[in-house]
Amino acid sequence: MNVLVTGGAGYIGSHTCVELLQAGHRVIIADNLSNASADVPERIAVIAGAAPVFYQVDVRDKDALREIFRAYAIDSVIHFAGFKAVGESCREPLKYYRNNIDSTLTLLEVMGEFGCKTIVFSSSATVYGPNNPVPYREDMPANVATNPYGWTKLMIEQILRDQASADPEFRAVLLRYFNPIGAHPTGLLGDDPNGIPNNLMPYVARVAAGILPKLTVFGGDYDTPDGTCLRDYLHVVDLAKGHLAAIDYAASHPGAEAINLGTGSGVSVLELVHAFTRATGREVPYVIGPRRDGDLPMVWADAGKAKALLGWTAEKTLEEMCRDSWSFASKAGNR
Ligand code: WQD
């Protein structure tokens, strides 16, 4: 298939492009490089042995999108493009609503002009909000977000559901990611955020590399086995493979279907830190600090629907996630 991957130069998008190319799909990337390096398409080509087509465009640019759809008969779209920093979304909500919603509406309008009716959307476990019990199941209420970033994910899910209700031929899979971490085993692709990382694993990797002095564990007094928060960490390559299964499923299933992508189990902050040291031999100095606003004590997936509908389960271990993160971070430091 011809697959348009918006945000395909980003962390999850680039890993997904590798899997798509290796499965024989033609990949067209639309990315404005606002949060990705210009050499990522080339790295994707080196790993996959086949090059994606790359357009440096903003998905809100309707004429630029039309040009792509004129040049290629797009069979399906995987939509990653969007801002994703929770804290920044609280500081600049209008920037998030304008960018994430506008880009999606523009994309859907152009898809409609060219008769493309299949989309896989990069959603997030954050749509489950603070009131559901773990493990999160797709039939639970997902109608309260705790930050503007999360609200954009909720709103886009609703837009896709409404479009599926209006057009019986429209097909959308809403993939709700839990906590993707790790990097490609080649060390050529990984999570390399600009500035000080917000998320745990890239922060741990930079402490291990000596770039940052120590990790602050946000809270050690939660009602959990070791007092630190539990999360459902999954390897980014497993997550990428979930997208491959999702476009195949979407191609033959009209409607809008939410599907969790997670391992189905929770790992604590301290468990991850100790696993990282075991996997890499690198010490990670840390201190226990105050809780971070908005953090939930426990978040993990019920992963049964992905297995039933997509035949997908996360396979890589926490040790592989840590080892691959370190392999990328230690190479990134030398780029
Ligand atoms: C994980 C745990 C922190 C950093 C976020 C988004 C979510 C999704 C994934 C996009 C928490 C703790 C972290 C640090 C720490 N993103 N931590 N010290 O918050 O579960 O999810 O990223 O879809 O939408 O909300 O991930 O990696 O930030 O935090 O102790 O320096 O690590 O408190 O318990 P989170 P995270």
Side-chain angles (χ1 to χ4, degrees):
M1 283 193 275
N2 287 348
V3 184
L4 172 64
V5 183
T6 74
Y11 173 44
I12 302 168
S14 58
H15 286 83
T16 301
C17 289
V18 166
E19 300 302 323
L20 289 166
L21 287 163
Q22 289 179 332
H25 295 291
R26 173 185 279 181
V27 171
I28 300 94
I29 295 173
D31 197 308
N32 65 6
L33 298 180
S34 65
N35 192 25
S37 305
D39 66 350
V40 167
E42 182 189 329
R43 290 190 219 163
I44 292 169
V46 168
I47 298 171
V53 176
F54 176 62
Y55 285 84
Q56 185 174 347
V57 298
D58 190 312
V59 178
R60 289 175 294 177
D61 181 341
K62 190 169 259 190
D63 288 337
L65 276 188
R66 284 174 172 144
E67 184 185 325
I68 296 173
F69 277 80
R70 280 193 201 98
Y72 297 91
I74 302 295
D75 298 296
S76 59
V77 176
I78 304 181
H79 182 35
F80 292 104
F83 295 149
K84 64 170 186 175
V86 170
E88 184 186 48
S89 79
C90 296
R91 293 189 296 274
E92 300 183 75
L94 297 184
K95 171 182 171 183
Y96 272 66
Y97 288 117
R98 173 61 69 192
N99 183 69
N100 292 5
I101 306 299
D102 254 5
S103 57
T104 303
L105 292 173
T106 302
L107 173 64
L108 290 170
E109 287 169 345
V110 175
M111 286 174 66
E113 290 173 8
F114 288 86
C116 178
K117 297 184 179 252
T118 305
I119 186 168
V120 172
F121 171 58
S122 166
S123 191
S124 166
T126 199
V127 302
Y128 287 106
N131 304 317
N132 283 305
V134 288
Y136 293 159
R137 270 196 338 275
E138 293 88 345
D139 60 358
M140 289 180 172
N143 48 25
V144 175
T146 54
N147 54 73
Y149 159 77
W151 279 113
T152 66
K153 292 299 185 183
L154 262 178
M155 291 171 183
I156 294 167
E157 284 201 1
Q158 189 57 50
I159 289 166
L160 293 171
R161 279 196 195 85
D162 289 344
Q163 184 61 13
S165 301
D167 177 354
E169 294 179 353
F170 190 74
R171 303 171 289 271
V173 172
L174 323 172
L175 293 179
R176 292 174 176 172
Y177 308 158
F178 281 72
N179 286 64
I181 62 172
H184 197 271
T186 59
L188 292 176
L189 293 175
D191 191 6
D192 194 15
N194 302 328
I196 304 291
N198 297 305
N199 296 135
L200 180 63
M201 180 57 95
Y203 201 105
V204 164
R206 288 190 191 173
V207 171
I211 297 167
L212 294 169
K214 68 180 181 314
L215 169 72
T216 301
V217 176
F218 297 145
D221 59 350
Y222 286 99
D223 183 15
T224 61
D226 66 11
T228 64
C229 295
L230 296 166
R231 291 293 182 273
D232 185 334
Y233 298 101
L234 72 157
H235 198 293
V236 65
V237 170
D238 278 334
L239 185 69
K241 292 180 188 294
H243 290 74
L244 212 53
I247 58 164
D248 290 339
Y249 176 85
S252 54
H253 290 81
E257 195 78 61
I259 301 177
N260 290 339
L261 291 187
T263 66
S265 61
V267 168
S268 79
V269 176
L270 289 180
E271 283 172 329
L272 186 144
V273 168
H274 297 323
F276 188 93
T277 297
R278 282 197 307 274
T280 65
R282 308 292 294 193
E283 291 303 323
V284 179
Y286 67 85
V287 293
I288 305 286
R291 296 181 175 190
R292 180 174 68 176
D293 287 349
D295 274 343
L296 299 174
M298 296 185 281
V299 175
W300 67 84
D302 176 312
K305 188 172 180 184
K307 183 166 178 55
L309 295 192
L310 305 180
W312 177 91
T313 54
E315 295 173 352
K316 289 180 179 281
T317 64
L318 182 62
E319 180 184 7
E320 288 174 284
M321 297 177 214
C322 293
R323 194 175 58 234
D324 290 340
S325 293
W326 173 241
S327 169
F328 173 75
S330 53
K331 286 192 176 71
N334 303 326
R335 271 201 199 96

